[in-house]
Amino acid sequence: MKWKKFKKERISLNYTVMLLPHSQKKPIHFKTPVWTFGLFFLGLLILTGACLFFAGSRVQLKQVQAEKSHLEQEWDKLAAEKQKADEENEELKQARENQEQELKSLEQKTRDTIKELEDLVERENQIRQELGLQQVTQDQDTKSQGPAAEDGADQKEDAESQMEGTADQNEVSGNQGSTDGALQAFAADYSVLLVENTADFQGIQEELAFLQTSLTEKTSQYDSYLHTIEARREAEAAEKARREELRLSIVRNALQYVGNPYVYGGNNPNTGVDCSGFTKYIMANTAGVYLNRTAASQSTQGHAVSAQEARPGDLVFYSNGASVNHVAIYIGEGRIVHASNARVGIITSNMYYRTPVKIVNVLGD
């Protein structure tokens, strides 16, 4: 009974919310139950909390992304450093292997050198030992033959003066015989080595002489080839210069008739000439090339070239749509000289004043 009364009097009480309390206008009164206001306030708190949560989460997400990007950069940097370190380790490993190979090679060379030195020392000791043994034997023989030598000396003192020189020579010969016996072994070995070294030296000299002779022959052939090639190049250059000069002569000879009259069927540019007569006269008198009489028949001579390949002295042909009816001489830089018509005579023009149908090289170069 008390709870119901409390609920009716307290919880269900209505509250008035006044907006604009300081305004001169009449305030607006709202009556709302307390639970509605509680729900609104709770929703506002939840919305504010959610906004703060999402805002904080976004900031943290940006920080995490920045840290991730920084870690990725650090990872890439570490990976590059690791790759560089691996390459350096590989280079060091290769260098170490090369050094080990060089050390092994040096050790082998050292062993070979030591072996050669030991052989030389052993050979020298053998020679010295042989010489020493023979000297010792010779000294012992001299001591054992001492009394006999003294008796021989006494007898030689009693001999005639003519025999004293002979005795002295025999004594010297005996001493020299002991020394020669000691050196016989060394002289024999030395003679063999000297013969072998002399033979090897002569063989090397013969091979060197053969190689020098071959080198001299090859050098002579090479010089001959160079001379032939140079002569051929000079001849080609001279021929090219001659042909270029011939083409320039054709152009100069043709240009001197500019302004002369056009005469249909004429053959002499001094008195009057048509287009094909003009080209026939210039080519015959300048280059010794004889052309047919008409433009159509001249277009069948020589070999065709493109506009990019055209050179001064080539012939440029034009058509009336059905057949070739006009010919001119190309003078370079996209221009021609030709006997145009009776009104203007021999003139120079742009090559494309009409569309060319064919360009022909009649000089054969």
Side-chain angles (χ1 to χ4, degrees):
M1 187 67 183
K2 293 181 178 180
W3 169 251
K4 290 182 180 180
K5 183 178 180 182
F6 176 79
K7 182 179 179 180
K8 182 178 180 181
E9 293 179 354
R10 300 294 181 183
I11 297 178
S12 299
L13 292 178
N14 294 329
Y15 292 88
T16 300
V17 177
M18 292 189 301
L19 300 178
L20 302 176
H22 300 290
S23 175
Q24 295 179 358
K25 294 182 180 181
K26 183 178 179 180
I28 301 174
H29 298 274
F30 293 93
K31 293 182 180 181
T32 177
V34 67
W35 62 268
T36 304
F37 182 77
L39 290 176
F40 174 76
F41 183 74
L42 180 62
L44 183 61
L45 289 176
I46 293 173
L47 180 62
T48 303
C51 292
L52 292 175
F53 174 76
F54 286 115
S57 300
R58 187 173 181 181
V59 171
Q60 291 180 355
L61 181 61
K62 288 183 178 179
Q63 291 178 353
V64 171
Q65 290 178 348
E67 291 177 357
K68 180 183 177 183
S69 177
H70 181 69
L71 290 175
E72 289 178 351
Q73 292 177 359
E74 292 291 335
W75 177 264
D76 294 337
K77 185 177 180 180
L78 291 175
E81 292 179 354
K82 181 178 179 299
Q83 184 178 1
K84 185 177 179 181
D86 292 339
E87 293 176 354
E88 291 179 354
N89 290 333
E90 187 67 24
E91 292 178 357
L92 291 174
K93 183 179 179 181
Q94 186 66 30
R96 182 179 178 183
E97 292 178 355
N98 295 334
Q99 289 179 355
E100 290 178 353
Q101 293 179 357
E102 291 178 358
L103 288 175
K104 290 181 181 179
S105 177
L106 289 174
E107 290 176 356
Q108 184 63 35
K109 290 181 179 178
T110 303
R111 286 193 293 268
D112 295 339
T113 304
I114 293 174
K115 185 66 171 61
E116 292 177 358
L117 290 174
E118 291 177 350
D119 293 340
L120 290 174
V121 171
E122 183 179 359
R123 182 59 182 167
E124 184 180 0
N125 290 333
Q126 290 177 358
I127 294 172
R128 290 180 180 274
Q129 185 178 2
E130 291 175 359
L131 292 174
L133 288 174
Q134 291 180 1
Q135 288 174 357
V136 170
T137 303
Q138 182 61 33
D139 294 338
Q140 292 176 355
D141 293 339
T142 302
K143 290 179 181 179
S144 63
Q145 294 176 0
E150 292 178 356
D151 295 337
D154 294 334
Q155 293 176 359
K156 287 177 183 178
E157 289 178 357
D158 297 333
E160 296 179 353
S161 59
Q162 294 179 356
M163 301 298 295
E164 290 178 358
T166 305
D168 294 336
Q169 291 178 359
N170 290 331
E171 186 178 359
V172 173
S173 298
N175 295 328
Q176 290 180 352
S178 63
T179 303
D180 292 339
L183 296 174
Q184 284 180 356
F186 176 75
D189 293 337
Y190 180 75
S191 299
V192 173
L193 292 175
L194 182 61
V195 171
E196 292 178 354
N197 292 334
T198 303
D200 293 339
F201 182 70
Q202 290 178 352
I204 293 172
Q205 281 186 331
E206 291 176 358
E207 185 177 0
L208 180 60
F210 174 75
L211 293 175
Q212 289 178 345
T213 303
S214 300
L215 179 61
T216 303
E217 293 178 356
K218 296 296 183 183
T219 303
S220 178
Q221 293 178 357
Y222 180 72
D223 293 338
S224 177
Y225 293 154
L226 286 180
H227 180 72
T228 302
I229 293 172
E230 188 65 25
R232 185 176 298 174
R233 288 178 179 176
E234 292 177 356
E236 291 177 353
E239 178 64 18
K240 183 178 179 180
R242 186 191 67 81
R243 291 184 177 276
E244 293 298 327
E245 180 60 28
L246 176 62
R247 287 179 173 274
L248 295 178
S249 298
I250 293 172
V251 173
R252 287 194 297 266
N253 192 20
L255 290 177
Q256 69 176 342
Y257 297 108
V258 171
N260 287 11
Y262 174 95
V263 175
Y264 182 78
N267 295 311
N268 191 334
N270 293 301
T271 58
V273 69
D274 59 9
C275 63
S276 57
F278 179 63
T279 55
K280 178 179 175 64
Y281 179 88
I282 296 299
M283 290 298 175
N285 288 275
T286 306
V289 177
Y290 297 93
L291 301 177
N292 297 326
R293 180 61 186 84
T294 65
S297 59
Q298 287 180 6
S299 66
T300 62
Q301 296 179 264
H303 64 275
V305 296
S306 65
Q308 292 77 16
E309 297 172 340
R311 291 183 291 170
D314 290 341
L315 301 182
V316 183
F317 294 92
Y318 300 89
S319 173
N320 59 2
S323 61
V324 174
N325 67 341
H326 190 66
V327 61
I329 300 174
Y330 184 70
I331 61 175
E333 297 182 355
R335 298 190 65 79
I336 58 173
V337 58
H338 58 126
S340 180
N341 52 50
R343 181 174 58 83
V344 296
I346 300 175
I347 61 171
T348 61
S349 305
N350 188 296
M351 183 177 69
Y352 295 99
Y353 86 104
R354 292 168 58 185
T355 302
V357 296
K358 192 175 185 181
I359 303 174
V360 174
N361 177 359
V362 295
L363 297 177
D365 57 351

